[in-house]
Amino acid sequence: MAKTAVEPKTEASVEEKLKALYNLQLIDSQIDKIRSVRGELPLEVQDLEDEIEGLQTRLDRLAEELKSAEKEITDRKQSIKDAQALIRKYEEQQNKVRNNREYESISKEIEFQNLEIQISEKKIKELKASISNKQEILETSKVQIEERKKDLEAKKKELKEILDETLIEEEELNQKSQKAQKLIDERLLAAYQRLRGNARNGLAVVAVERDACGGCFNHVPPQRQLDIRTHKKIIVCEHCGRILVDKSIITEEK
């Protein structure tokens, strides 16, 4: 059986590559425009979520500190009661002592317990002041959380409305972008994507407008303009590195 000859795949011409690149640029620019409508909203939403999480963590920590302080006050009050009970016990013992040495020993114990009471009372006073301060911070933080939650709800609603309006269009454009990328060889596509990433406006392929680069607006020498118009090789701007195309090659994206 005779074998069917397989025709070698022909490489796209420079003109075809330039058309494919510019077509891809048009599609990606439309995607950029859609995303610019969202502006900083996604970041603002994320920042608010992070802030609320931070405030909530602060609230939880304050609540634990208040709980711990309340427990310590309870423990200190019990220590005072225990010390008072010991003092009463020691005072009863003092009435039954047989010599000065025993009396002085018990007196020192009473003195020690009175000192413990003073320390506990001072600590309770400090803890109550700390609790009062923490409660104020707690209430302020609660108000802040509620305000941030309202802001977050409004931002999320705004973002959702924009997404609902543009999501389908963006998905369609992304599909077109992926399809257009398949028409461009890997090396050229990598260069295009690198240029887009470095360019503030996302433009990697621009037309020569009024003898100037359509990206950085620097003058393009006549000889380079002639080379660009012949579509025989890929020419980049000497100043910004963008790929330059002649207006005659520009076609509407299909």
Side-chain angles (χ1 to χ4, degrees), residues 74-92:
T74 301
D75 293 342
R76 290 283 179 177
K77 285 180 177 179
Q78 185 59 50
S79 294
I80 290 173
K81 288 180 181 179
D82 293 341
Q84 289 171 338
L86 283 172
I87 288 170
R88 286 193 297 270
K89 177 184 173 182
Y90 291 141
E91 286 175 342
E92 289 176 4

Side-chain angles (χ1 to χ4, degrees), residues 15-16 18-27 30 207 231 245-254:
E15 184 172 347
E16 289 171 332
L18 288 170
K19 285 181 178 180
L21 277 171
Y22 192 77
N23 183 46
L24 177 59
Q25 179 67 77
L26 287 175
I27 296 168
Q30 285 180 276
H231 312 149
V245 297
D246 181 55
K247 291 189 72 173
S248 65
I249 210 173
I250 297 173
T251 56
E252 290 293 327
E253 184 269 321
K254 296 179 182 179

Side-chain angles (χ1 to χ4, degrees), residues 54-67:
L55 285 169
Q56 188 59 56
T57 300
R58 185 185 189 188
L59 275 180
D60 294 340
R61 187 179 68 253
L62 282 169
E64 284 297 319
E65 289 174 359
L66 285 170
K67 185 178 177 181

Side-chain angles (χ1 to χ4, degrees), residues 178-191:
Q178 292 296 323
K179 186 177 178 181
Q181 288 178 32
K182 292 177 181 178
L183 301 175
I184 304 168
D185 64 74
E186 292 182 6
R187 183 185 59 81
L188 197 55
L189 181 60

Side-chain angles (χ1 to χ4, degrees), residues 126-174:
E126 291 172 354
L127 286 166
K128 285 183 176 179
S130 176
I131 286 172
S132 177
N133 182 50
K134 282 181 169 61
Q135 284 175 334
E136 287 181 14
I137 297 171
L138 193 70
E139 291 305 316
T140 302
S141 296
K142 284 180 179 178
V143 172
Q144 286 179 328
I145 284 180
E146 290 306 311
E147 289 175 350
R148 296 299 179 273
K149 282 182 176 178
K150 288 178 182 177
D151 292 341
L152 179 60
E153 186 179 349
K155 293 290 183 184
K156 280 186 171 180
K157 183 180 179 182
E158 186 180 352
L159 182 58
K160 184 179 183 301
E161 288 173 353
I162 293 172
L163 287 172
D164 289 344
E165 291 174 2
T166 61
L167 189 60
I168 294 174
E169 183 183 358
E170 186 178 356
E171 286 178 353
E172 289 175 351
L173 286 168
N174 278 324

